[in-house]
């Protein structure tokens, strides 16, 4: 080492001068290597000297120069003079990165221009320090402008109704959700209107889909003309439109909008050579914090819309009524399971022969215990009819009632002098083969048809008299009796009574219960009993609750009492 030191001290001035020129040459070679590396990259990249006070671009490739619209080779290398790196979101994050110790940072951003702006994935990464060299970082920009614009275009198409050019349901829901999420959202400050065109399906069927499409487009234009510039109109389904509007003066704003919509529809629509008039039904729901999102708001408006169709005037959503709808839906789901699991039961109400006092038969009535609590037939029977479950329920009741009567015979060891009554729903008559169901129940139980009475309401006859007549005629082949339930509360004509094979009239309890109180009830019941005798029919009085009623009905010639 001493010899080496001696040799070092003994170097000539020419040797010292050569050493002084080595460092610049190394820097030049390293700089050239860096440039070659950057030029080989397929993305825009620049190498920046990591000086927090005055960072500068050491070198960059042509991709970077094109995006930055700046060339460091022209002499000015300071980052502060390169707009894309000194201003906007990229500049702010680069300055923060230089002050930090993070090894790398990546983010998506844009250059901030509203027109012709570009979108990038930006990455800052510190490079390994070399002895005697300043800190450096690699700035890379991946241009995603084409991808972003394509995504925007696809999203725009996805959120647009192609027929009317209006926003579709997805766009509408996004806007409603955005309103609900606003920090300054005020309850009662916004409303959604659901607007449904009447007679659209009829136009579509009679004039074709092209005319239907033309009608929808014209209808949408009429709606736009009735709204304020700040209101959002969207086509939410086939012939249904949604409107999101701010309520500056409360609910009256929404009701006035509904009036304007009705007004612009008074003029007829011209389709080809025809002029047709189109009306609409409108339901309204006010936005509040209690809703889970746009879907629920629109459902609420549609619920009000359904009532509007029935009543004929604009309706506002009432939460109490919606809760009843949800209750019915829940009952429908649970009732379906209960029927499949055969957990329903039949209660048997005695039918008393009034002149003798003997039990002549029983009426089978469906009963349902759910989780230990009884659910009223007045609640689950309408749900069964609305959902179509009444067909399964009716078939089960027929089979169970006849099987029970056969079981009573078996236990008694003889055929009992009893008959059984089962109710038929109008929906069951219209949707099911009732004759086949009765045939199966009688065959399965082994009892004769003369011991079975099928009861239907006046409403069932009015609903579809021709179908009912055919069904009842088919049923009479099994020798069953046909009873008309709740007689006097409907609109059955005498002609219907003559044409239909009715054997029994049941007098509604609203008349029977009022007979002792004077008024017209006694005369009405007497008239019904006289009519039944003239037509050769038996009678049953419902709702008898006293001996006095029994005596009075017996005197008037009523056959049975319940």
């Amino acid at each position: 080492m001493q010899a080496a030191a001696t040799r070092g001290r003994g170097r000539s001035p020419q040797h010292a001068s050569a050493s002084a020129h080595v460092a610049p040459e190394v820097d030049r070679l390293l700089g050239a290597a860096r440039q070659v590396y950057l030029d080989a990259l397929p993305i825009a990249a620049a190498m920046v000297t990591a000086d927090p006070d005055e960072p500068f671009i050491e070198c960059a490739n042509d991709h970077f120069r094109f995006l930055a619209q700046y060339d460091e080779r022209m002499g000015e290398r300071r980052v502060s003079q390169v707009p894309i790196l000194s201003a906007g979101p990229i500049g702010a994050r680069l300055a923060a990165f230089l002050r930090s110790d993070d090894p790398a940072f990546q983010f998506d951003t844009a250059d901030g221009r509203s027109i012709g702006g570009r979108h990038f994935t930006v990455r800052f990464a510190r490079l390994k320090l070399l002895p005697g060299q300043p800190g450096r970082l690699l700035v890379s920009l991946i241009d995603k402008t084409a991808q972003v614009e394509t995504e925007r275009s696809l999203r725009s198409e996805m959120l647009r109704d192609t027929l009317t050019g209006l926003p579709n349901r997805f766009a509408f829901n996004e806007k409603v959700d955005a309103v609900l999420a606003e920090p300054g959202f005020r309850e009662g400050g916004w409303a959604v209107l659901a607007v449904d065109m009447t007679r659209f399906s009829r136009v579509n069927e009679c004039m074709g889909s092209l005319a239907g499409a033309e009608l929808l487009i014209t209808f949408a234009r009429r709606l736009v003309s009735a709204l304020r510039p700040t209101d959002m109109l969207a086509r939410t389904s086939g012939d249904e439109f949604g409107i999101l509007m701010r309520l500056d003066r409360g609910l009256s704003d929404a009701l006035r909008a509904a009036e304007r919509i009705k007004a612009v529809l008074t003029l007829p629509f011209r389709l080809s050579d025809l002029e047709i008039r189109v009306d609409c039904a409108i339901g309204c729901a006010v936005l509040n914090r209690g809703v889970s999102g746009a879907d629920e708001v629109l459902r609420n408006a549609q619920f009000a819309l359904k009532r509007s169709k029935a009543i004929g005037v604009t309706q506002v959503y009432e939460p109490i009524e919606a809760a009843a709808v949800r209750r019915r839906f829940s009952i429908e789901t649970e009732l379906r399971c209960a029927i499949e699991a055969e957990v329903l039961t039949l209660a048997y109400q005695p039918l008393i022969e009034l002149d003798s006092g003997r039990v002549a038969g029983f009426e089978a009535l469906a009963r349902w215990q759910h989780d230990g609590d009884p659910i009223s037939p007045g609640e689950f029977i309408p749900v069964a009819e609305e959902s179509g479950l009444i067909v399964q329920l009716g078939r089960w009741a027929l089979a169970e009632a006849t099987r029970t009567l056969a079981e009573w015979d078996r236990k008694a060891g003889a055929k009992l002098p009893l008959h059984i009554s089962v109710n038929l729903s109008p929906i069951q008559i219209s949707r099911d083969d009732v004759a086949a169901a009765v045939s199966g129940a009688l065959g399965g139980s082994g009892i004769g048809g003369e011991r079975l009475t099928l009861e239907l309401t006046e409403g069932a006859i009015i609903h579809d008299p021709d179908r009912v007549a055919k069904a009842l005629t088919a049923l009479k082949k099994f020798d069953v009796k046909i009873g008309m339930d709740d007689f006097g509360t409907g609109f059955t004509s005498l002609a219907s009574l003559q044409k239909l094979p009715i054997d029994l009239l049941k007098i509604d309890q609203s008349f029977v219960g009022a007979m002792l109180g004077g008024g017209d009830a006694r005369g009405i019941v007497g008239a019904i009993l006289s009519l039944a005798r003239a037509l050769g029919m038996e009678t049953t009085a419902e709702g008898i609750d006293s001996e006095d009623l029994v005596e009075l009905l017996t005197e008037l010639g009523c056959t049975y009492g319940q």
Side-chain angles (χ1 to χ4, degrees), residues 90-108:
I90 297 179
R93 291 176 179 177
L94 176 58
F97 182 77
L98 289 171
R99 292 192 298 269
S100 73
D101 295 326
D102 296 336
F105 181 61
Q106 181 172 310
F107 59 97
D108 291 328

Side-chain angles (χ1 to χ4, degrees), residues 244-258:
L244 174 65
M245 61 186 308
R246 186 188 293 275
L247 303 179
D248 297 322
R249 291 180 293 275
L251 186 60
S252 60
D253 280 351
L255 298 179
R256 276 194 290 269

Side-chain angles (χ1 to χ4, degrees), residues 318-332:
E318 297 291 343
I320 294 177
E321 294 185 11
V325 171
R326 286 191 288 271
R327 165 72 174 170
R328 287 198 296 272
F329 181 76
S330 175
I331 287 177
E332 177 185 339

Side-chain angles (χ1 to χ4, degrees), residues 189-430:
W190 293 82
V192 164
L193 300 182
V195 182
D196 185 83
M197 188 194 317
T198 58
R199 302 181 62 204
F200 173 72
S201 59
R202 188 174 178 185
V203 172
N204 224 23
E205 291 168 0
C206 296
M207 301 184 64
S209 58
L210 287 179
E214 183 182 350
L215 178 59
L216 280 171
I217 294 170
T218 309
F219 185 82
R221 289 173 181 167
R222 295 269 187 101
L223 291 181
V224 170
S225 70
L227 300 177
R228 305 171 302 184
T230 54
D231 299 335
M232 178 186 183
L233 174 66
R235 184 184 176 201
T236 51
S237 64
D239 60 343
E240 185 179 302
F241 295 81
I243 300 167
L244 174 65
M245 61 186 308
R246 186 188 293 275
L247 303 179
D248 297 322
R249 291 180 293 275
L251 186 60
S252 60
D253 280 351
L255 298 179
R256 276 194 290 269
E259 291 173 2
R260 293 195 302 271
I261 291 170
K262 293 277 189 179
V264 299
L265 298 179
T266 55
L267 292 175
F269 289 75
R270 188 167 190 85
L271 298 178
S272 301
D273 297 329
L274 299 176
E275 284 190 351
I276 64 170
R277 294 190 179 274
V278 172
D279 198 0
C280 68
I282 303 174
C284 174
V286 178
L287 275 64
N288 58 70
R289 293 287 186 190
V291 297
S292 59
D295 280 332
E296 183 177 352
V297 175
L298 191 55
R299 281 198 305 271
N300 293 344
Q302 289 168 337
F303 177 78
L305 173 66
K306 186 176 181 181
R307 285 196 291 119
S308 175
K309 289 179 181 179
I311 299 174
V313 295
T314 301
Q315 294 292 301
V316 179
Y317 165 76
E318 297 291 343
I320 294 177
E321 294 185 11
V325 171
R326 286 191 288 271
R327 165 72 174 170
R328 287 198 296 272
F329 181 76
S330 175
I331 287 177
E332 177 185 339
T333 303
E334 293 162 356
L335 179 59
R336 190 182 305 276
C337 296
I339 293 173
E340 291 174 356
E342 298 185 353
V343 297
L344 276 74
T345 58
L346 289 179
Y348 296 94
Q349 184 178 19
L351 296 164
I352 308 299
E353 192 174 67
L354 293 181
D355 60 356
S356 66
R358 75 176 185 88
V359 176
F362 294 87
E363 181 179 357
L365 303 168
R367 294 292 182 263
W368 182 21
Q369 289 271 346
H370 179 62
D371 292 336
D373 297 320
I375 297 181
S376 167
E379 190 172 14
F380 73 80
I381 294 296
V383 172
E385 291 184 325
E386 183 180 347
S387 63
L389 290 172
I390 195 68
V391 172
Q392 294 171 258
L393 181 59
R395 282 186 168 247
W396 167 81
L398 272 171
E400 179 67 14
T402 53
R403 185 198 63 77
T404 300
L405 183 57
E407 180 66 15
W408 290 345
D409 287 347
R410 187 189 65 78
K411 289 182 178 180
K415 177 181 175 181
L416 297 172
L418 298 172
H419 68 270
I420 201 86
S421 295
V422 179
N423 292 293
L424 287 180
S425 163
I427 307 299
Q428 189 179 0
I429 294 174
S430 64

Side-chain angles (χ1 to χ4, degrees), residues 17-29:
S17 176
S19 299
H21 288 288
V22 170
E25 181 63 18
V26 170
D27 286 342
R28 186 186 67 77
L29 292 173

Side-chain angles (χ1 to χ4, degrees), residues 109-245:
T109 188
D111 59 12
R113 289 179 291 175
S114 58
I115 300 177
R118 307 193 73 84
H119 299 264
F120 306 103
T121 294
V122 182
R123 180 175 175 82
F124 306 143
R126 298 187 190 278
L127 300 176
K128 185 176 180 181
L129 287 174
L130 296 175
Q133 296 288 317
R136 293 182 175 85
L137 66 142
L138 182 67
V139 177
S140 59
L141 305 175
I142 300 176
D143 190 357
K144 300 178 63 178
T145 305
Q147 177 184 341
V148 170
E149 289 179 350
T150 300
E151 289 175 355
R152 282 181 175 175
S153 176
L154 291 173
R155 178 174 174 76
S156 177
E157 291 180 13
M158 184 182 73
L159 298 177
R160 185 72 51 183
D161 176 52
T162 55
L163 178 64
T164 62
L166 295 173
N168 60 18
R169 180 163 181 163
F170 297 109
F172 188 75
N173 283 359
E174 278 194 358
K175 181 61 177 177
V176 174
D177 282 332
V179 168
L180 289 169
E182 287 178 358
F185 172 77
R186 177 175 59 86
E187 296 215 4
W190 293 82
V192 164
L193 300 182
V195 182
D196 185 83
M197 188 194 317
T198 58
R199 302 181 62 204
F200 173 72
S201 59
R202 188 174 178 185
V203 172
N204 224 23
E205 291 168 0
C206 296
M207 301 184 64
S209 58
L210 287 179
E214 183 182 350
L215 178 59
L216 280 171
I217 294 170
T218 309
F219 185 82
R221 289 173 181 167
R222 295 269 187 101
L223 291 181
V224 170
S225 70
L227 300 177
R228 305 171 302 184
T230 54
D231 299 335
M232 178 186 183
L233 174 66
R235 184 184 176 201
T236 51
S237 64
D239 60 343
E240 185 179 302
F241 295 81
I243 300 167
L244 174 65
M245 61 186 308

